[in-house]
Amino acid sequence: MRKVNLDDLGEFLKEETPKKKENISKATVSDVDKKIKYGKEVIATAVKMIYDSSDGNKHRTLTKASYLLGGHIPDGILSESEAITALRNVIDIKPNVANKEHAYKTIEDCLKKGMDDPITLENLEANKQEYFKQYSYTNYSVPPEISNEEPIIEEKKVVTPLLPIDGLPDFLQNLITNCTEVYGTHRDFWVGAFLAATAIGIGQTQQLMGKYTNASVLWLALSAPSGVGKTEPLTFAFKPFHLLDLESIKIFEIEFREYERIKSMNKAAKKEEGIISDPEIPLCKQYILTDATPEALTKAHKSNIRGVNIERDELHGWLLDIGRYSKSGEVQNMLSSWSQKTFTVNRVEGAPKKILHPFINITGGIQPDIIPELAKDHRAVNGFMQRFCFVYPDEAIRPEYSSIELSDELKEKYAEYIGNLLKLTGYCEKVYLSNAAQSIYETFVNKNTKLINAEKIDYLKALYAKLDVISLRFALIIHFAKWACTSVDEPSITPETMQSAIDITEYFRITGLKVFKKLNMKNGGLNNKSVASFLNDKGASQNEIAKVLHVSQPYVNKLLKS
C-alpha cells in the first residue's frame, strides 16, 4: 500500500454536492465527498505537473503523473476513464509533443502499474499530517521498470534552417553572401531585409490575380537580442529609398515656401503675377516612415499611392505608438491594411480620411524577450501576430570588428536593382500564375488545409491560414526580383518561382511556431489561461483553480473572461 502526501495539493476543497463515482459502491456519503475532493485535487496536480514539465523531462513527468492517478483508481477516488480523459486532454493541449499516440500508450501503461499499488481513502486520512510535511508529488519515485524506459515523449529540438535563397536571382544571392561576410551579421537578416526592400520597390504597381488578389504587402520582423546586427541589413537595404525621400523633402521644402508665399499675397499681387486661385498644399512623397501616427500615415499614403513602408529599429516603439491610438481603431486599420481593405482614419480636427487601397509594409527588429509585448491587447487572437513573418535564427551573435568593406560595384548594382524595380509603372497591373505554378500552389494549400483542420490551437490555425496568402506574396516578390536583375519579362509566374516562394514560406511556419512557443512560455513555462480553461471545463471552481495556480480567485476570474 502506498503513502501519499497532499502537500502540493493544498487544503481540502469546499464541500460540494455528492457525485456518483465509478468503483464506489459501499462508501458512505461522507466518503464520497472526500473522494470527490481528493480526486479533483490529484487531477489538478497531474495537470500542473505536465504543464510545468521542462524540455527533456516530459516523458518522465507523464509517467509520474499517470502512475500517480492510477494509484487513486482502485479505491474509487478516481475512475479509470476519468484519469485517462484528463491526461489525454493535457497532452492534446500541450504544444510540442513529439508523438501523441505513444504518449497515450504511456498513460495507459502507467495507469495500470499505478493501480497495482493502490492508494486508499483510509490511508490518505490516517497519514495526512505526515504527508503534508514530508511528501511532494513532483518528487514522486516510480518503479524502475517505468522510469528506465526509453523516453516516448520528448521535446525534439527543432533546428531553425537558414532562410532559403536558392530561388532568388544570382545577383541577390551573391549580394547576401558578400554582405554576410563583410558585416558578420546573420545571413538571414540580409535575406529578410532584401525581400522587404524588394516588396516596397514593387509596391502596388503589380497584383497577383487568382481566387484572391495579392500585392507584395509584407510585415517582417528581425528577431534577435540587442546589439547583434539587426540594424545594418535594414539600413543598407532601404538606403536607396531613404535617399529618394531626402530628395523629395528638399523639393517639398521649396514648394512649401512657394505655397506660403502665394497664400500670404493679396489679390492685387496675385493678379499681377497671373495667379488665378490659391495653390493646393504640396505633398511630400515618401517611401519610408518612422512616424506611424494615423495622421502621418494618411498624408504619406496620399502622397505615394505606390505604397509606404514603416521601418523601426525596434518594433516595440511602433507598438507604443499604436497603443496611443488604440481607441480610434488603429490596430483594426492595420489589420485591414495587410489585407488591402479600405479603412478610415478619424482625425481630431477635420473630416475623416479614407485610404481606399492601402499598401503599408512594416519592417523592424524585435528582441525575443519583447515578443510577448507584441501579443498584448488581444493581438495574439485577432490575427495581428500571425500576419508577421519572423526572421528568427536560433543563434545570432555580435560580430567582431573587421575593416573589410563592401565593394562599390556591389553597392552600385544594388542601387541599380532598386532603380529597376521603381521603373515598374502603372497601378495594380495584373500578374498570373502559370498552370504549372497553380498546380504547385494548390498542392501546398491542400496540405496546409489538412494541418489547419488537424490543429486544435486557434493561434496556430490562424498562423497557418495566413501562409496561403504569404506564399503568393513571396511569389510576386521573387518574380519581379528576377525581372529587375535580368530584364527578362516572364509572361506569368513560373513553377520554379512558386516553389521557391513556398520554401521561404515554410521557413516562416517554423519561426511562427518559435514565436508561439515564446508566447506560451510566459510565466515560467505555464500558460495559466490554458490551465484555468482546462480545469474550468472539468468542473473545478474558481477557488480550486486559484489554489492549483497559486494565484487569487479574481485573477482566475479575469483569465476565464479574457
Side-chain angles (χ1 to χ4, degrees), residues 61-118:
T61 302
L62 184 62
T63 61
K64 289 181 180 181
S66 303
Y67 186 71
L68 172 66
L69 295 194
H72 291 74
I73 292 172
D75 197 37
I77 298 170
L78 291 176
S79 69
E80 185 173 357
S81 62
E82 186 178 17
I84 290 175
T85 299
L87 292 170
R88 285 175 66 109
N89 284 343
V90 179
I91 291 299
D92 287 343
I93 64 177
K94 185 171 178 64
N96 302 319
V97 175
N99 190 322
K100 289 185 179 181
E101 292 303 321
H102 285 176
Y104 300 155
K105 183 66 166 55
T106 297
I107 290 170
E108 294 176 4
D109 291 346
C110 294
L111 276 176
K112 290 177 181 178
K113 292 182 184 296
M115 290 167 65
D116 292 337
D117 191 4

Side-chain angles (χ1 to χ4, degrees), residues 510-525:
I510 293 171
T511 57
L513 287 167
K514 283 181 68 176
V515 167
F516 171 72
K517 183 177 179 181
K518 192 72 180 178
L519 298 178
N520 206 41
M521 289 301 290
K522 290 171 64 179
N523 302 318

Side-chain angles (χ1 to χ4, degrees), residues 40-174:
K40 283 190 174 182
E41 288 189 344
V42 74
I43 283 180
T45 297
V47 168
K48 190 173 188 298
M49 286 170 65
I50 296 171
Y51 260 105
D52 277 335
S53 59
S54 59
D55 294 354
N57 291 315
K58 293 189 176 195
H59 171 72
R60 181 171 177 79
T61 302
L62 184 62
T63 61
K64 289 181 180 181
S66 303
Y67 186 71
L68 172 66
L69 295 194
H72 291 74
I73 292 172
D75 197 37
I77 298 170
L78 291 176
S79 69
E80 185 173 357
S81 62
E82 186 178 17
I84 290 175
T85 299
L87 292 170
R88 285 175 66 109
N89 284 343
V90 179
I91 291 299
D92 287 343
I93 64 177
K94 185 171 178 64
N96 302 319
V97 175
N99 190 322
K100 289 185 179 181
E101 292 303 321
H102 285 176
Y104 300 155
K105 183 66 166 55
T106 297
I107 290 170
E108 294 176 4
D109 291 346
C110 294
L111 276 176
K112 290 177 181 178
K113 292 182 184 296
M115 290 167 65
D116 292 337
D117 191 4
I119 299 167
T120 66
L121 180 63
E122 181 182 5
N123 185 258
L124 285 169
E125 292 291 285
N127 297 280
K128 178 178 176 182
Q129 295 303 320
E130 176 188 345
Y131 301 151
F132 268 129
K133 292 179 181 178
Q134 299 178 0
Y135 189 76
S136 167
Y137 271 145
T138 56
N139 294 324
Y140 196 86
S141 59
V142 298
E145 64 269 21
I146 296 177
S147 60
N148 291 336
E149 286 182 358
E150 185 70 22
I152 294 173
I153 296 183
E154 57 183 12
E155 177 100 7
K156 291 186 176 179
K157 181 174 176 57
V158 178
V159 177
T160 305
L162 289 174
L163 237 173
I165 64 172
D166 293 346
L168 300 181
D170 291 341
F171 165 70
L172 278 185
Q173 292 189 46
N174 183 48

Side-chain angles (χ1 to χ4, degrees), residues 295-307:
E295 190 77 11
L297 193 57
T298 304
K299 288 181 178 179
H301 209 287
K302 183 179 179 181
S303 70
N304 187 8
I305 61 172
R306 188 185 186 109

Side-chain angles (χ1 to χ4, degrees), residues 448-468:
N448 196 37
T449 298
K450 289 181 180 179
L451 291 175
I452 293 169
N453 291 336
E455 182 55 62
K456 296 185 178 180
I457 299 172
D458 288 343
Y459 180 97
L460 296 181
K461 281 179 176 287
L463 171 68
Y464 296 164
K466 296 294 182 290
L467 298 181
D468 289 350

Side-chain angles (χ1 to χ4, degrees), residues 185-186 189 223-230 393-399:
T185 49
H186 199 284
F189 296 152
S223 184
S226 180
V228 300
K230 300 190 297 293
D394 289 336
E395 184 179 33
I397 60 176
R398 180 180 175 85

Side-chain angles (χ1 to χ4, degrees), residues 308-344:
V308 296
N309 191 99
I310 298 171
E311 182 197 355
R312 296 290 284 265
D313 281 347
E314 292 294 340
L315 288 173
H316 185 228
W318 170 66
L319 284 175
L320 295 177
D321 285 348
I322 285 185
R324 289 186 289 157
Y325 299 93
S326 59
K327 292 183 179 180
S328 65
E330 183 63 11
V331 171
Q332 186 57 50
N333 283 345
M334 294 307 301
L335 295 176
S336 296
S337 77
W338 188 87
S339 303
Q340 292 199 285
K341 294 180 180 178
T342 300
F343 66 84
T344 303

